[in-house]
């Protein structure tokens, strides 16, 4: 892959994302679903001018490193920086139960059903459960907005989706280490989970607070937005280096920046610029992720494995119902 082909690939993805975003306003279907379907359609087209999107010519960006390091911090930080922490504290009990106990229970039930129905080794099945148990509220929140649902319910759904990402990632990492090691110790797993969550929260909060104090001393939107970018990615990378939860660290940093730094140390102009910057960045990252998923889907493989796929869907629905 050359630099030119990489840029061409990115431009085509942005063109596709823009076109799909416009279409979803008229078709009234969830944007993320439309992106996956759009990526799937693009992967099937064999037009000469779409050659940068063909499997043998496009860059392979859908890797764990790219998803976890490039895309995830942006999506988590953007989601947390706009949430009012007072709303989270008011509904902290249901949020913590849903985001922690709920995700753990869904992982256990889904993994156990996959192990029983498909015959996957139990640790591999639980690993699948951890991957699939965190929910994406984008479509649900859009429906809530159209129906003018109670704001508190929307806050709970959005806050839980923010926190459950961190829980799911921590559980995934623990289970992945267990798969590699060939076994899982319950006591050690619980200890790693608590350390990752509590340590990530403390680290992200400290970095967010430090950046917020710096923004109080300056009044330059470009510099202040740059600082938030450093905090978003820096907290994630530092937490991973310390074997803590990068997602929890980034979410905590975003909450501090949004509720303390933005309110105490940013002008109205900077707040508007900050919100616009992170909304656009999240739109681009979200669009790229789901388009890449659609491009990587192999229809023939899905058709060949239709039976275990149906079993997996049933297991996920049952697991989430708990």
């Amino acid at each position: 892959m050359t630099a030119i082909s990489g840029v061409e690939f990115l431009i085509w993805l942005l063109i596709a994302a823009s076109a799909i975003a416009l279409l979803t306003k008229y078709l009234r279907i969830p944007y993320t679903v439309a992106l996956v379907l759009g990526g799937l359609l693009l992967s099937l087209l064999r037009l000469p001018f779409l050659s940068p999107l063909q499997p043998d010519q496009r860059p392979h960006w859908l890797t764990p490193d790219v998803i976890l390091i490039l895309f995830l911090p942006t999506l988590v930080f953007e989601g947390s920086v706009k949430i009012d922490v007072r709303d989270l504290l008011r509904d902290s009990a249901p949020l913590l139960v849903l985001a922690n106990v709920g995700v753990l229970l869904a992982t256990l039930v889904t993994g156990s059903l996959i192990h029983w129905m498909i015959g996957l080794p139990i640790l591999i099945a639980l690993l699948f459960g951890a991957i699939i148990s965190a929910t994406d509220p984008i479509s649900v929140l859009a429906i809530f907005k159209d129906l003018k649902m109670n704001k508190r319910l929307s806050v709970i759904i959005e806050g839980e989706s923010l926190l459950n990402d961190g829980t799911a990632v921590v559980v995934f990492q623990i289970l992945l280490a267990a798969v590699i090691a060939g076994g899982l110790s319950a006591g050690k797993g619980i200890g790693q989970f608590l350390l990752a969550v509590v340590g990530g929260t403390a680290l992200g909060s400290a970095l967010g607070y430090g950046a917020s104090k710096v923004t109080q001393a300056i009044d330059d939107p470009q510099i202040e937005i740059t600082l938030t970018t450093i905090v978003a990615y820096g907290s994630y990378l530092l937490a991973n280096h310390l074997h803590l939860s990068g997602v929890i660290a980034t979410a905590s940093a975003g909450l501090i920046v949004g509720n303390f730094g933005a309110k105490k140390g940013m002008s109205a102009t900077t707040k508007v610029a900050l919100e616009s910057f992170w909304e656009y960045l999240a739109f681009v990252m979200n669009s790229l992720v789901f388009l890449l998923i659609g491009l990587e889907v192999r229809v023939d493989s899905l058709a060949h494995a239709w039976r275990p796929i149906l079993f997996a869907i049933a297991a996920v629905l049952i697991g989430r119902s708990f």
Side-chain angles (χ1 to χ4, degrees):
M1 183 195 72
T2 64
I4 293 178
S5 64
V7 172
E8 288 178 344
F9 179 67
L10 178 60
I11 293 299
W12 274 114
L13 289 183
L14 292 176
I15 291 173
S18 301
I20 291 170
L22 292 173
L23 284 174
T24 54
K25 294 183 181 296
Y26 298 99
L27 300 178
R28 304 184 73 83
I29 61 176
Y31 179 54
T32 51
V33 174
L35 285 170
V36 174
L37 294 176
L40 179 60
L41 178 61
L42 288 173
S43 70
L44 297 175
L45 296 177
R46 293 294 186 266
L47 301 176
F49 64 91
L50 291 177
S51 59
L53 299 177
Q54 301 308 315
D56 57 338
Q57 298 188 42
R58 66 174 180 253
H60 297 288
W61 288 356
L62 200 63
T63 65
D65 287 341
V66 173
I67 296 298
L68 294 177
I69 297 177
L70 180 60
F71 293 123
L72 192 56
T74 290
L75 298 173
V76 172
F77 191 85
E78 188 273 338
S80 61
V81 78
K82 63 184 182 182
I83 293 179
D84 192 328
V85 73
R86 290 173 297 183
D87 293 333
L88 292 182
L89 292 175
R90 183 185 61 192
D91 297 309
S92 58
L95 283 173
L96 291 175
V97 170
L98 290 170
N100 291 283
V101 179
V103 171
L104 291 173
L105 188 58
T107 298
L108 179 61
V109 173
T110 302
S112 299
L113 289 173
I114 289 292
H115 171 67
W116 176 65
M117 291 189 295
I118 300 178
L120 285 178
I122 185 62
L123 285 178
I124 301 296
L126 289 173
L127 196 63
F128 170 79
I131 293 171
I132 206 72
S133 292
T135 56
D136 186 345
I138 293 176
S139 300
V140 176
L141 291 175
I143 294 172
F144 281 4
K145 185 176 180 180
D146 292 338
L147 298 178
K148 295 181 173 58
M149 297 293 289
N150 184 277
K151 180 183 176 182
R152 183 185 179 193
L153 182 58
S154 298
V155 169
I156 291 175
I157 295 293
E158 188 170 9
E160 189 271 337
S161 72
L162 175 66
L163 298 176
N164 71 22
D165 286 337
T167 303
V169 169
V170 172
V171 174
F172 170 81
Q173 292 172 336
I174 292 172
L175 289 171
L176 181 61
V179 170
I180 295 173
L184 175 66
S185 169
K188 184 178 180 181
I190 293 173
Q192 289 176 336
F193 176 80
L194 293 175
L195 175 63
V197 171
V198 175
T201 301
L203 176 64
S205 299
L207 292 176
Y209 180 79
S212 298
K213 295 298 288 185
V214 173
T215 59
Q216 291 182 9
I218 56 178
D219 185 18
D220 188 311
Q222 285 75 29
I223 296 177
E224 292 177 78
I225 291 173
T226 301
L227 281 173
T228 64
T229 308
I230 294 171
V231 169
Y233 282 90
S235 59
Y236 186 90
L237 294 172
L238 183 57
N240 279 351
H241 180 72
L242 297 174
H243 304 291
L244 305 174
S245 172
V247 175
I248 295 294
T250 300
S252 300
L255 287 172
I256 297 298
V257 169
N259 288 273
F260 176 69
K263 293 180 179 179
K264 300 292 184 180
M266 294 184 182
S267 64
T269 302
T270 301
K271 290 179 184 178
V272 172
L274 179 73
E275 182 178 344
S276 299
F277 170 79
W278 282 104
E279 282 186 355
Y280 170 71
L281 201 58
F283 168 78
V284 170
M285 296 296 188
N286 212 36
S287 301
L288 293 179
V289 167
F290 285 98
L291 275 173
L292 288 170
I293 291 173
L295 285 171
E296 294 293 332
V297 168
R298 298 291 179 267
V299 178
D300 54 343
S301 299
L302 292 180
H304 180 72
W306 67 270
R307 191 185 302 273
I309 289 174
L310 290 180
F311 285 152
I313 292 173
V316 170
L317 293 175
I318 294 172
R320 287 183 176 177
S321 69
F322 279 82

